[in-house]
Amino acid sequence: MRFAYCPYCGSKLVKKEIGDEGLIPYCAKCEIPLWDMFTTSIIAAVINENHEIALLRQNYVSTTKYVCVAGIMKIGEAAEETVVREIKEEIGLTVKNLEFVQSYPYDKKEMLMLGYKATVERADFVISGEVDSVAWVKFEDALDLLREGSIAWQLVKTVIEGEKA
């Protein structure tokens, strides 16, 4: 989100030099800078002990490719709590181990995605209403089911390569 007006008083913002940050939208009335904002979310490569990854079909995202578990962080929630919650909500599994992999800026949606590897025990899925289907996929088949170059593809590629090392 890029501010043009102050969300507190409604005044039109001006550009002001703020330290080494450069010109920043600034409310002269409230005397506060208003940096551009982005949504923080998580994305998780959910893997099991059999070298499989859980890939989801969400038709509102794509009708031809799979995706990883992902979701928006709630205010007051740590990123790790978001990963555990989203995996439980979307596919009904309990995280045994969690490892941060990398952050991914997603400019198209003004979002920062925090990528994790989440290890679970293989079990049947209990899917939420926002998931059309989910499947356990062998590591060697996973990348072909994701949109090449996508954040999910990058995360899964990194996780699979790390598992082989």
Side-chain angles (χ1 to χ4, degrees):
M1 178 188 320
R2 300 179 195 287
F3 291 103
Y5 295 90
C6 178
Y8 303 105
C9 73
S11 297
K12 181 144 179 68
L13 301 177
V14 297
K15 296 286 186 179
K16 181 176 179 179
E17 189 84 28
I18 306 286
D20 60 0
E21 300 297 323
L23 293 173
I24 301 297
Y26 184 83
C27 179
K29 183 175 179 185
C30 296
E31 299 181 341
I32 57 170
L34 294 155
W35 279 270
D36 294 338
M37 297 175 64
F38 53 85
T39 302
T40 307
S41 65
I42 63 87
I43 183 166
V46 180
I47 65 169
N48 67 32
E49 68 278 10
N50 298 330
H51 300 287
E52 296 172 312
I53 185 163
L55 295 181
L56 290 66
R57 250 317 169 32
Q58 292 177 300
N59 290 335
Y60 72 91
V61 176
S62 175
T63 57
T64 60
K65 294 294 182 180
Y66 285 81
V67 295
C68 291
V69 170
I72 304 298
M73 287 178 60
K74 294 180 179 179
I75 291 176
E77 187 175 53
E80 294 77 11
E81 292 171 324
T82 305
V83 175
V84 170
R85 176 181 55 77
E86 288 289 343
I87 291 170
K88 188 63 146 174
E89 287 176 1
E90 290 189 6
I91 59 176
L93 299 178
T94 302
V95 174
K96 294 280 200 193
N97 190 44
L98 192 58
E99 181 182 323
F100 178 74
V101 176
Q102 183 178 334
S103 61
Y104 302 89
Y106 188 17
D107 293 337
K108 181 179 171 183
K109 293 196 175 184
E110 294 185 344
M111 188 178 285
L112 176 66
M113 300 190 85
L114 304 176
Y116 286 86
K117 175 178 86 171
T119 305
V120 301
E121 286 184 14
R122 192 181 203 287
D124 291 335
F125 300 109
V126 178
I127 61 173
S128 76
E130 68 181 85
V131 176
D132 294 299
S133 65
V134 62
W136 286 117
V137 177
K138 291 286 185 196
F139 283 175
E140 57 268 19
D141 299 325
L143 291 177
D144 291 336
L145 299 175
L146 300 163
R147 186 174 56 78
E148 186 172 351
S150 68
I151 292 171
W153 185 89
Q154 293 174 56
L155 173 63
V156 169
K157 185 175 188 296
T158 300
V159 167
I160 290 170
E161 287 172 353
E163 289 293 305
K164 290 178 182 176

